[in-house]
Amino acid sequence: MAQRRKVMTIFGSRPEGIKMAPVVQELRRHPDWFETIVVSTGQHREQLDQVFAAFGLAADHDLAIMQPRQTLTDIMVRALSGLDGLLARERPDLVLVHGDTSTTAAGALAAFYHKIPLGHVEAGLRTFQKYNPYPEEINRRIAGIIADIQFAPTPRAREHLISEHIDPDTIFVTGQTGVDAALAVLSQPHTFSVPALRQVDFSRHRVVLMTAHRRENLGEPMRNMFRAVRDLVDRFPDVLLIYAVHLNPAVREIAWPILDGHPRILLLDPLPYPDMIHLAAKSYMAMTDSGGIQEETPSMGVPHVLMRETTERPEALEAGVILLSGTTYEGVYAAGERLLTDRALYQQMARAKNPFGDGQASRRIVEYLAWYFGFIASKPSEFIPRR
């Protein structure tokens, strides 16, 4: 049998933590194959701690880089510096990074500098616009150039990588690990831990779940979004808007003056992940500028207005599970109004199949690594989206 291998997973933000947690759990189901090391850069502090608690995980190493009003340069410099020394000491056989955060880019560069093989989970997402989303589009391209194994979530992501001359033999289509995480949480009985959510009457209100935090939307785009959703709540007296407000002060300084004080707008701090997923499942619709939530809501039959100018997940548009509204007042208002008034459109979107995953992505990743390192003889089957 092949020698046991040391796999280091590196993440630092809440979305990375959510999507990497099921991968870590699956790796740890095979201690004869893998020694699994979890590294947190601490790019997000409180929000990442919530994820660790939700999945019963703890970091083996925490770089604790987060500082108030940190810049992208601050994150990159501190993460890269901390990872440099850690990789020199641990010398893993493989580094796994996820997605497109500054931690992702730093982890990829650190692995490259130490000549350690890199696996990139959620590889191949693209808008082909340098500053949208910002800085994610460039972060994921950096990881894509360096990665030795490309874990693409969908066939479309594979196509993107091949168009960039990535060796097809290094690409493996897995499905989205975020779907794994959401389905696992939804399978468990749940009582909301946030008291305000326990007071919501879901039978009386059409609950609209909102998130908004993207850097490229800060300023006037975000003001447009917030004005539009407030006017939608005014227009439809049965609508209750629940917004888990990002901790970024630049977001909060825009959100509170526009949205606070309305009797049917509930402004909350970021929610524990189980609360967020069960809230999404109980909601009538979602309005977000998120990446990951648009992968989760199709599994719940919850239509979604994506308040962005672009999406790196065109599969959602093709499957009919999102409306891409843009970030103008008129676009956001019109998309929200359509889902609140057009029952046929709503039902069509709610019945659409999830193109992103089936809950087995983490198993596929770990089985691929077992094949890659010689623990099993056969390469596992790839994810094929349902039609």
Side-chain angles (χ1 to χ4, degrees), residues 56-259:
L57 298 178
D60 298 297
H61 302 278
D62 190 337
L63 303 183
I65 69 169
M66 184 174 177
Q67 293 183 0
R69 293 188 180 270
Q70 60 192 0
T71 67
L72 294 173
T73 301
D74 293 334
I75 296 169
M76 180 63 77
V77 169
R78 290 198 298 275
L80 194 54
S81 177
L83 291 169
D84 179 62
L86 185 59
L87 286 172
R89 294 193 302 273
E90 290 283 359
R91 297 302 306 177
D93 297 292
L94 180 79
V95 167
L96 281 180
V97 296
H98 179 279
D100 51 25
T101 70
S102 296
T103 288
T104 305
L109 283 168
F112 170 68
Y113 292 156
H114 287 268
K115 297 184 179 180
I116 296 170
L118 178 74
H120 185 199
V121 179
E122 196 185 80
L125 275 62
R126 299 290 186 270
T127 65
F128 300 103
Q129 296 188 29
K130 183 175 181 180
Y131 294 111
N132 201 330
Y134 169 79
E136 289 87 351
E137 181 71 6
I138 296 305
N139 287 339
R140 55 189 171 223
R141 291 198 199 189
I142 290 170
I145 291 168
I146 295 171
D148 300 275
I149 306 172
Q150 312 273 356
F151 290 117
T154 64
R156 176 64 61 84
R158 176 207 282 276
E159 293 170 11
H160 291 160
L161 292 165
I162 291 173
S163 74
E164 296 171 357
H165 306 289
I166 299 296
D167 181 354
D169 289 340
T170 68
I171 305 169
F172 183 70
V173 179
T174 63
Q176 253 298 353
T177 61
V179 177
D180 298 11
L183 292 178
V185 168
L186 284 173
S187 70
Q188 301 298 317
H190 184 71
T191 299
F192 287 122
S193 64
V194 175
L197 294 178
R198 296 199 292 267
Q199 304 304 314
V200 174
D201 187 344
F202 290 92
S203 64
R204 178 185 173 195
H205 295 290
R206 287 190 290 178
V207 172
V208 176
L209 169 64
M210 186 171 80
T211 70
H213 69 278
R214 303 202 72 85
R215 286 178 184 269
E216 68 269 19
N217 286 344
L218 291 174
E220 197 58 28
M222 196 165 283
R223 292 186 186 91
N224 292 336
M225 292 154 52
F226 293 162
R227 292 187 192 108
V229 296
R230 182 173 180 122
D231 286 351
L232 284 168
V233 176
D234 282 335
R235 161 87 186 278
F236 297 95
D238 65 333
V239 165
L240 173 67
L241 181 80
I242 300 179
Y243 176 21
V245 188
H246 199 277
L247 294 177
N248 184 345
V251 174
R252 294 183 160 230
E253 289 162 5
I254 300 170
W256 251 264
I258 297 173
L259 298 173

Side-chain angles (χ1 to χ4, degrees), residues 321-383:
V321 296
I322 67 168
L323 295 179
L324 186 63
S325 70
T327 57
T328 66
Y329 172 93
E330 293 79 10
V332 172
Y333 186 92
E337 183 182 45
R338 283 188 70 194
L339 278 178
L340 290 165
T341 58
D342 188 336
R343 189 65 182 171
L345 173 64
Y346 181 91
Q347 291 293 343
Q348 178 182 334
M349 293 179 69
R351 289 193 297 264
K353 290 183 171 61
N354 191 336
F356 295 111
D358 58 1
Q360 299 299 314
S362 301
R363 175 187 59 78
R364 291 187 185 97
I365 289 169
V366 172
E367 288 182 357
Y368 182 95
L369 292 178
W371 170 77
Y372 178 84
F373 284 118
F375 297 115
I376 60 176
S378 299
K379 184 179 179 179
S381 299
E382 294 184 299
F383 167 65

